[in-house]
């Protein structure tokens, strides 16, 4: 199975589109290496702005460019983008309604060995709770490409969080169901629903298969659109299955699990259980080790569902 | 109308708005007025007609709390009816206590300090990328100079040689809690900006001719952004408000309101 980091796909799409549209501008904060923007910056030096290690200025400059007609794509580690430059995202992007797409790279525990400074375990809560900011966590290269192409078509602010590592494909080339702000049902099922986002979808999909072998019919939903969240998909799952399990690379407070639970509680109360990171600095390690430790991988999902059913 | 007199007429609009609404930041409105008058009546190519085009000059009020002064100017320049000023800070009004781009003539929302210069850097960069002739103006307060984000933008403005960017520091020496020197020393603004690589011009900031000359000089400088350190009087135009820290956002009572209008009339009349 192909393994490509989602940042590579964004870089490729922007190289292609910037050649056709001079208003596309990419900005980074000494993060061109970690964002995989080397090729873009070489291909389109006049549509590339290096801001240095200054995340506040990074977002504000992007907003100023957008106010003058540019389509700004901002790349910085999600940990810094969602905290150091949070007020800039709130005021200069969301509140001023500028055409800025904030791309949080190396999100979640991608930098798993580097400590809490480099973890973005609460960026969903921060960004999604800000009026005017959309939040997306795509899972694989195909969905990431579709998402970025869709975002190039609109003028509204958005925050996109991706991981650092190469990830397995969830979808197949040429068969990528995608409608902006609509969740994707990867596998239908009637006993339980697993709702995952970002690079947790890979594990959720695998768990769906494993549960089949155990005779459990699991619906697997890819909720890449955290905000606006696909309420319809949640309500349907809440009505049609006995349990919803959410999985996210984020603390359990204020993220996907909280949002799914809120929608379910208001519309079709059903038990909602969340898997995610703890309310403490995540344990050090590689992403896969961390997911396994906190029971967020396929095995952990299967175990949790088996306990609950 | 003589623009020096205009500045006093607009100050009356500011006082009226604040008196009606019982809220507003009067001191900074009054100190910044000549800067706004020079930009909006003499220097900037921005009108209600060209505001939605790609080519007009850009303005960011980084010291957003001086929004009453900006509203007064924009209304007088025809961006919206002067009558609208009466709705300032009333329930449901779009004319709120900090700039918002829901109001015609305003491009960026401000209010939290330390954002405007970075926005200006982005606007000026866009102008360079597109080889446009527009210029970008940003007005900041001197208390605002304590915000670290300002200096990120100062660094970037010099790095990108943004000679189409002119910043103002409304150097009125007062902020909400006291003098800038008591709260956080802001002495030697000229040396600070020069050290970062900016062209620096220092002017008496309530002198319209001096401001206009400085803006003209800034247009001639190549490869450097310009900062105009405008040494202003907080509360300028009303003797009992001038240089009084308590008038940062004090609201005039009935007597003060009448006295303020009378003095502004008298001071404006000297320019007839």
């Amino acid at each position: 199975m192909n393994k490509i980091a989602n940042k590579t796909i964004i870089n490729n799409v922007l190289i292609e589109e910037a050649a056709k549209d001079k208003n596309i501008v990419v900005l980074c904060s000494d993060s061109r290496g970690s964002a995989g923007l080397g090729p873009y910056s070489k291909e389109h030096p006049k549509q590339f702005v290096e801001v240095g290690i200054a995340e506040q200025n990074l977002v504000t400059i992007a907003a100023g460019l957008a106010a003058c007609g540019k389509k700004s794509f901002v790349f910085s580690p999600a940990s810094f983008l969602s905290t150091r430059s949070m007020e800039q995202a709130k005021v200069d992007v969301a509140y001023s309604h500028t055409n800025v797409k904030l791309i949080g790279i190396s999100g979640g525990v991608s930098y798993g060995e580097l400590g809490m400074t480099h973890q973005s375990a609460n960026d969903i809560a921060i960004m999604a709770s800000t009026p005017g900011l959309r939040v997306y966590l795509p899972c694989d290269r195909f969905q990431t490409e579709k998402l970025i192409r869709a975002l190039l078509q609109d003028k509204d602010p958005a925050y996109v969080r991706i991981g650092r590592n190469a990830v397995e494909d969830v979808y197949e080339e040429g068969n990528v169901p995608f409608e902006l702000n609509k969740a994707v049902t990867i596998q239908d099922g009637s006993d339980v629903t697993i709702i995952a986002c970002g690079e947790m979808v890979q594990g959720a999909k695998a768990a769906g298969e494993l549960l089949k072998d155990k005779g459990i019919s699991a619906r697997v939903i890819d909720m890449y659109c955290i905000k606006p969240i696909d309420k319809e998909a949640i309500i349907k799952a809440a009505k049609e299955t006995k349990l919803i399990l959410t999985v996210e690379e984020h603390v359990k407070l204020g993220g996907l699990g909280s949002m799914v639970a809120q929608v379910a509680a208001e519309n079709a109360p059903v038990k909602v259980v969340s898997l995610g990171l703890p309310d403490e600095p995540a344990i050090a390690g590689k992403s896969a080790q961390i997911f396994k430790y906190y029971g967020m991988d396929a095995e952990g999902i299967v175990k949790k569902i088996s306990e609950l059913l | 109308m003589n623009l020096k007199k205009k500045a006093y007429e607009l100050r009356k609009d500011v006082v009226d708005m604040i008196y009606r609404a019982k809220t507003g930041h009067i001191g900074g409105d009054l100190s910044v007025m000549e800067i706004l008058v020079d930009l909006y009546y003499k220097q900037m190519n921005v009108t209600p007609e060209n505001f939605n085009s790609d080519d007009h000059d850009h303005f960011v009020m980084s010291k957003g709390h001086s929004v009453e002064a900006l509203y007064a100017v924009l209304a007088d320049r025809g961006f919206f009816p002067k009558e609208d000023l009466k709705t300032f800070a009333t329930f449901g009004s779009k004319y709120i206590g900090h700039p918002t781009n829901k109001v015609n003539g305003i491009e960026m929302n401000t209010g939290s300090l330390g954002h405007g210069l970075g926005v200006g850097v982005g606007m000026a960069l866009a102008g360079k990328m597109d080889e446009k002739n527009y210029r970008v103006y940003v007005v900041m307060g001197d208390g605002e100079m304590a915000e670290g984000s300002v200096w990120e933008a100062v660094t970037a403005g010099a790095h990108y040689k943004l000679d189409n960017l002119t910043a103002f520091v409304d150097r009125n020496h007062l902020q909400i809690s006291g003098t800038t020197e008591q709260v956080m020393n802001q002495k030697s603004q000229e040396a600070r900006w020069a050290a970062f690589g900016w062209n620096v011009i220092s002017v008496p900031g309530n002198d319209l001719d001096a401001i206009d000359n400085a803006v003209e000089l800034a247009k001639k400088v190549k490869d450097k952004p310009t900062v105009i350190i405008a040494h202003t009087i907080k509360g300028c135009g009303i003797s009992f408000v001038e240089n009084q820290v308590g008038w940062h956002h004090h609201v005039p009572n009935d007597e003060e309101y009448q006295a303020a209008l009378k003095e502004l009339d008298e001071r404006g009349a000297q320019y007839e």
Side-chain angles (χ1 to χ4, degrees), chain A residues 19-222:
Chain A
K20 295 181 266 182
D21 184 351
K22 71 177 177 58
N23 282 328
I24 292 173
V25 179
V26 168
L27 299 94
C28 80
S29 52
D30 196 22
S31 47
R32 79 181 77 181
S34 38
L37 287 169
Y40 177 94
S41 64
K42 286 194 181 75
E43 193 77 25
H44 299 295
K46 289 183 175 168
Q47 288 164 258
F48 182 75
V49 179
E50 172 63 75
V51 173
I53 306 168
E55 291 82 7
Q56 299 177 75
N57 207 34
L58 169 75
V59 174
T60 305
I61 288 178
L65 283 159
C68 290
K70 298 297 176 188
K71 301 170 183 174
S72 299
F73 282 77
V74 172
F75 290 76
S76 190
S79 53
F80 311 137
L81 199 54
S82 64
T83 54
R84 176 68 69 91
S85 47
M86 200 294 127
E87 198 197 49
Q88 284 70 24
K90 170 190 162 190
V91 176
D92 306 329
V93 178
Y95 182 39
S96 290
H97 199 89
T98 49
N99 188 359
V100 177
K101 311 302 196 254
L102 302 163
I103 314 292
I105 58 167
S106 304
V109 293
S110 294
Y111 292 130
E113 311 91 337
L114 301 187
M116 190 161 147
T117 55
H118 283 61
Q119 294 166 357
S120 60
N122 59 336
D123 56 338
I124 295 176
I126 293 168
M127 293 306 204
S129 61
T130 303
L133 266 188
R134 296 174 294 169
V135 176
Y136 300 103
L137 274 76
C139 60
D140 75 353
R141 56 179 171 148
F142 299 118
Q143 188 180 53
T144 301
E145 176 173 357
K146 294 260 185 190
L147 173 66
I148 296 299
R149 289 192 187 284
L151 294 181
L152 276 162
Q153 303 305 312
D154 68 48
K155 292 185 170 183
D156 303 321
Y159 172 72
V160 178
R161 189 241 269 189
I162 53 172
R164 182 190 190 201
N165 305 318
V167 284
E168 287 183 0
D169 293 341
V170 170
Y171 301 103
E172 290 166 14
E173 190 151 22
N175 180 25
V176 188
F178 184 87
E179 189 183 338
L180 192 62
N181 303 330
K182 286 280 175 212
V184 184
T185 302
I186 292 174
Q187 172 181 312
D188 206 0
S190 53
D191 294 328
V192 57
T193 300
I194 305 166
I195 303 181
C197 62
E199 297 164 16
M200 297 293 93
V201 172
Q202 277 81 347
K205 185 184 175 192
E209 295 287 339
L210 292 171
L211 287 165
K212 255 187 218 169
D213 299 340
K214 288 177 162 265
I216 297 170
S217 169
R219 182 177 300 184
V220 179
I221 293 177
D222 171 1

Side-chain angles (χ1 to χ4, degrees), chain B residues 5-241:
Chain B
K5 179 174 164 67
K6 174 66 79 180
Y8 283 90
E9 289 297 308
L10 292 167
R11 283 185 167 95
K12 284 160 60 184
D13 291 341
V14 165
V15 171
D16 196 59
M17 287 163 72
I18 292 172
Y19 173 71
R20 272 174 199 278
K22 304 296 177 220
T23 181
H25 291 81
I26 192 167
D29 287 330
L30 298 177
S31 66
V32 81
M33 191 56 88
E34 276 76 15
I35 295 170
L36 297 184
V37 168
D38 184 60
L39 291 177
Y40 275 94
Y41 293 77
K42 288 192 80 172
Q43 288 290 349
M44 288 200 300
N45 169 31
V46 60
T47 63
E49 290 72 34
N50 75 6
F51 183 65
N52 291 316
S53 76
D54 298 335
D55 279 323
H56 64 80
D57 290 337
H58 296 276
F59 178 79
V60 183
M61 183 63 117
S62 192
K63 47 171 279 184
H65 53 285
S66 294
V67 72
E68 298 88 11
L70 181 61
Y71 288 156
V73 167
L74 290 174
D76 195 59
R77 295 303 279 163
F79 284 91
F80 51 84
K82 205 154 190 169
E83 196 63 16
D84 285 10
L85 295 179
K86 290 181 181 162
T87 72
F88 168 65
T90 56
F91 180 72
S93 174
K94 68 177 169 181
Y95 300 93
I96 57 176
H98 289 108
T100 152
N101 54 19
K102 295 217 182 314
V103 169
N104 194 34
I106 294 176
E107 289 185 81
M108 289 294 287
N109 300 2
T110 53
S112 177
L113 297 169
H115 291 241
L117 190 62
V119 170
V121 167
M123 290 172 156
L125 268 174
K128 292 285 182 191
M129 285 176 183
D130 293 342
E131 296 177 2
K132 299 268 190 195
N133 289 321
Y134 67 69
R135 297 190 62 79
V136 179
Y137 296 92
V138 178
V139 173
M140 292 169 286
D142 52 0
E144 183 176 358
M145 294 301 107
E147 292 279 9
S149 53
V150 170
W151 300 96
E152 293 185 2
V154 173
T155 306
H159 179 85
Y160 284 107
K161 300 181 166 56
L162 298 176
D163 52 21
N164 52 349
L165 173 64
T166 299
F168 286 87
V169 177
D170 181 1
R171 183 72 174 113
N172 62 31
H173 291 268
L174 290 177
Q175 57 192 103
I176 197 165
S177 311
T179 67
T180 47
E181 280 51 59
Q182 286 167 337
V183 178
M184 188 52 64
N185 185 3
Q186 298 300 341
K187 279 181 185 165
S188 312
Q189 282 299 314
E190 284 82 355
R192 295 185 194 196
W193 288 79
F196 277 76
W198 284 54
N199 176 49
V200 180
I201 306 175
S202 192
V203 296
N206 296 113
D207 179 334
L208 195 63
D209 296 329
I211 292 166
D212 196 58
N213 286 336
V215 175
E216 282 299 324
L217 283 173
K219 287 192 217 168
K220 295 188 178 80
V221 173
K222 293 288 169 217
D223 298 330
K224 275 183 178 189
T226 291
V227 62
I228 299 173
I229 310 294
H231 292 269
T232 57
I233 295 167
K234 195 154 181 176
C236 180
I238 305 169
S239 51
F240 58 89
V241 178

